[in-house]
Amino acid sequence: MSGFGNGRDIISYVALGDSFTEGMNDPYAESTGTGQERYRGWADRLAEHLARTCGEVRYANLAVRGKLIREIVQRQVPRAVELAPDLVTLCAGGNDIIRPGGDPDATARIFEAAVRRLAATGSRIVVFTGMDTGFQPVMRHLRGKIATYNMHLRAVADEHGCDVVDLWSMRVLQDRRAWSGDRLHLSAEGHRRIALRVCELLDACPPADWRDPWPAEEPLPWRAARQDDLHWAREFLVPWIGRRLTGRSSGDGRTAKRPELERLEPARYRN
């Protein structure tokens, strides 16, 4: 397929998904004035880069943190079909897979139905595999389920002509600096590298290489590392487990941050 960095006049782009695509935890410098932090993330970064290299980019981000795949299919996919953009990115199913009893086979069937609907619009579709969690002790037991889901996603992508961003093979994300303090969401640098990877896939002239090695870093002393683990468990793990047990979601009551296709002004954004 042709690239998106070749001076096309107008590009429309819709991003679908959960917290990964909403952009947690990559905050904008400016406040929204609403009392809620506004996140940037790899999808905003991608759209901003396209706006600097194309004549005009219209962009909507319908992703909402915590959403399960059925919610994404029921609420976000129909809107994307209605908008019929040039480009759609879809990352969904991760919140289903990590829940107790999450079934990668059943989740993949729902994912395939979503892709089928999106493909009917003629949009270029980019999907994402799950990440390899082998380096994260708390998530390591999920590797098998994620790998199974990834095989399904690749089959769906092959059938419907989707591009695939293989997060599983991005070893650069296995550095702790790619992750925010909650160890569940990417850091700003992690999001930046994902955006560069998608730019590469789209042949959109990425401004840097996502493979660049991390600077050398001294490991944390054992005592400091254990204190960090205790802080993480108290501040993030326990509340996360509590939400799972009570059926609550971090996205309850939230709406999409960019619900309409709106033109981006490239001069506003930094790299």
Side-chain angles (χ1 to χ4, degrees):
M1 296 184 182
S2 62
F4 280 85
N6 55 6
R8 291 178 58 177
D9 290 335
I10 299 176
I11 290 174
S12 54
Y13 166 35
V14 175
L16 310 177
D18 50 31
S19 59
F20 173 73
T21 303
E22 183 186 344
M24 294 177 69
N25 286 323
D26 179 15
Y28 278 97
E30 71 272 14
S31 170
T32 64
T34 65
Q36 292 185 346
E37 195 161 29
R38 178 169 174 252
Y39 292 109
R40 189 184 187 194
W42 67 266
D44 284 21
R45 289 170 178 269
L46 170 64
E48 292 158 12
H49 174 70
L50 294 176
R52 290 191 293 268
T53 58
C54 302
E56 178 180 328
V57 171
R58 291 177 291 123
Y59 170 52
N61 189 320
L62 308 183
V64 178
R65 68 193 72 174
K67 294 306 179 185
L68 300 174
I69 192 166
R70 287 192 184 276
E71 296 173 298
I72 293 170
V73 170
Q74 291 169 0
R75 300 180 184 180
Q76 298 179 28
V77 170
R79 180 57 176 155
V81 169
E82 180 183 353
L83 294 170
D86 300 306
L87 174 67
V88 174
T89 57
L90 173 64
C91 185
N95 288 324
D96 299 78
I97 299 301
I98 66 176
R99 290 190 174 212
D103 183 346
D105 302 319
T107 303
R109 287 193 290 271
I110 301 171
F111 187 91
E112 194 279 333
V115 170
R116 191 184 327 116
R117 293 181 65 186
L118 293 168
T121 68
S123 301
R124 183 172 182 176
I125 304 170
V126 176
V127 300
F128 297 74
T129 70
M131 297 184 191
D132 184 355
T133 59
F135 72 102
Q136 293 179 321
V138 176
M139 297 288 189
R140 189 174 295 148
H141 67 287
L142 296 171
R143 288 188 84 211
K145 290 170 63 175
I146 296 171
T148 299
Y149 189 52
N150 286 350
M151 294 301 292
H152 284 302
L153 293 189
R154 287 193 170 278
V156 170
D158 286 345
E159 180 177 354
H160 295 283
C162 305
D163 296 290
V164 179
V165 178
D166 185 8
L167 299 180
W168 183 280
S169 67
M170 289 183 66
R171 301 304 177 199
V172 71
L173 299 179
Q174 296 185 5
D175 189 287
R176 69 180 184 87
R177 288 168 288 184
W179 299 87
S180 62
D182 66 9
R183 305 185 187 179
L184 296 171
H185 300 100
L186 293 169
S187 65
E189 178 61 16
H191 279 287
R192 188 184 75 89
R193 289 176 185 255
I194 297 290
L196 292 172
R197 177 69 184 91
V198 184
C199 282
E200 180 183 81
L201 180 73
L202 295 175
D203 191 23
C205 305
D209 192 337
W210 60 268
R211 304 172 188 82
D212 285 341
W214 293 90
E217 182 185 49
E218 290 293 329
L220 283 176
W222 184 89
R223 184 180 297 277
R226 299 295 74 74
Q227 290 176 340
D228 190 52
D229 289 342
L230 289 172
H231 172 78
W232 169 76
R234 181 175 64 252
E235 296 296 324
F236 300 107
L237 180 61
V238 171
W240 182 82
I241 292 173
R243 289 195 298 272
R244 299 289 79 76
L245 293 175
T246 59
R248 293 178 292 118
S249 167
S250 57
D252 288 346
R254 291 184 176 271
T255 57
K257 65 180 182 179
R258 295 185 66 97
E260 305 292 339
L261 278 174
E262 297 177 342
R263 180 174 180 174
L264 288 180
E265 299 295 337
R268 287 186 55 201
Y269 303 108
R270 66 195 189 281
N271 287 329

